[in-house]
Amino acid sequence: MGGESTIRTAPRGGGSSTGTARAGRGLGDRLSGIAVALGIVLFLGGFAWGAVVYRPYTVPTTSMTPTIDAGDRVLGQRIDGGDVRRGDVVVFHDTSWVTNADVVKRVVAVGGDTVACCTDGKLTVNGKQIDEPYLPAGSQAELQGFPTVTVPKGRLFLLGDERQGSLDSTAHLTDAAKGTVARSAVTARVDSVVWPMKGLLRRPTGFEALGALSQPGPVRLIESMIVAGAVLVLAGGAYGPVAGLVGRSPTRGRTEAAGAR
């Protein structure tokens, strides 16, 4: 019957495939949105947390070389002076040392300690020789030495890691405080060097026999949050364009064309 008209219908399989693709794309869009939102929370949350806990400082001198070089950018965790322990690298403000400037030195003795130099080329605290692997290679603790100092309660004795040229407690031994600094003068403990990226400071294990050491703050966790957040934002934001390119691939185009015939 030549006069009869025929209607061709598209194979059901093609419609099902298209529906599945659309459903998959919809799920992908939702997951992408969640990834971007979570990434923003982690990224901004990391920076906000870091701003509350840490303060950046630029060290202008070489007195803490090689631990911290001149011009290095460090992160100092805001702490109370009562939390300072032997071996900590701290930021403090003492007008008898420097006017209108912060100073970065290492705490080698706390209130009640006796500190002297040198015995077999090493610093001694409470009669114990202290191993200081963070000092410059081949360096003695203090080439010229200094007499025994008993640190008053509530005060700290501080040295630079570059002992030969550091204007530290040894340069103030004739002061009324015998070179010591009040704990209350401390504003931060340095956890890491962020520029150049040297990372966390070495643990001052030579002081462990005299008492517990300070634990690093949450700098690594904060860095992980920021990095993870950035990755999630980039990955989630890239999903849409990538999915669009995949959807327009030549193979899919040929398949759709074949279905139309």
Side-chain angles (χ1 to χ4, degrees):
M1 298 185 180
E4 293 181 356
S5 61
T6 59
I7 300 176
R8 297 181 180 179
T9 59
R12 292 184 179 180
S16 175
S17 176
T18 302
T20 301
R22 289 175 179 173
R25 177 67 183 274
L27 176 60
D29 288 341
R30 288 192 294 274
L31 292 176
S32 172
I34 292 172
V36 170
L38 179 59
I40 291 173
V41 170
L42 288 174
F43 188 79
L44 297 181
F47 273 108
W49 189 11
V52 171
V53 176
Y54 287 97
R55 181 181 172 187
Y57 297 89
T58 299
V59 179
T61 70
T62 60
S63 68
M64 285 298 295
T65 301
T67 304
I68 306 170
D69 292 318
D72 282 1
R73 192 76 165 167
V74 303
L75 286 182
Q77 183 181 2
R78 303 171 194 264
I79 62 169
D80 183 84
D83 296 328
V84 175
R85 295 178 178 175
R86 301 176 191 88
D88 289 348
V89 176
V90 298
V91 181
F92 65 95
H93 191 91
D94 189 308
T95 55
S96 67
W97 285 41
V98 181
T99 302
N100 298 324
D102 292 315
V103 183
V104 178
K105 301 293 182 198
R106 187 182 296 275
V107 175
V108 298
V110 299
D113 289 345
T114 57
V115 55
C117 183
C118 299
T119 303
D120 298 329
K122 292 184 178 182
L123 182 78
T124 61
V125 180
N126 299 337
K128 176 178 174 55
Q129 296 181 30
I130 306 299
D131 290 322
E132 300 181 276
Y134 42 76
L135 295 180
S139 160
Q140 291 183 333
E142 180 63 47
L143 294 180
Q144 297 181 352
F146 59 87
T148 300
V149 175
T150 299
V151 183
K153 293 294 184 182
R155 301 190 70 85
L156 307 167
F157 196 87
L158 306 105
L159 299 177
D161 286 357
E162 176 49 79
R163 301 286 161 84
Q164 296 184 54
S166 175
L167 296 178
D168 48 34
S169 286
T170 61
H172 297 271
L173 291 175
T174 58
D175 295 353
K178 296 183 178 180
T180 64
V181 171
R183 280 182 176 270
S184 59
V186 174
T187 58
R189 181 183 59 235
V190 177
D191 272 355
S192 93
V193 179
V194 293
W195 187 259
M197 297 180 66
K198 297 180 181 179
L200 292 176
L201 301 190
R202 297 178 65 176
R203 285 176 58 78
T205 53
F207 293 93
E208 280 184 316
L210 300 175
L213 303 179
S214 294
Q215 297 299 317
V219 62
R220 280 188 168 171
L221 180 57
I222 290 172
E223 290 174 349
S224 297
M225 286 176 62
I226 293 172
V227 171
V231 170
L232 285 172
V233 169
L234 292 174
Y239 171 79
V242 171
L245 289 174
V246 171
R248 298 189 190 97
S249 65
T251 302
R252 181 175 179 180
R254 288 194 298 269
T255 301
E256 291 178 348
R261 291 197 300 271

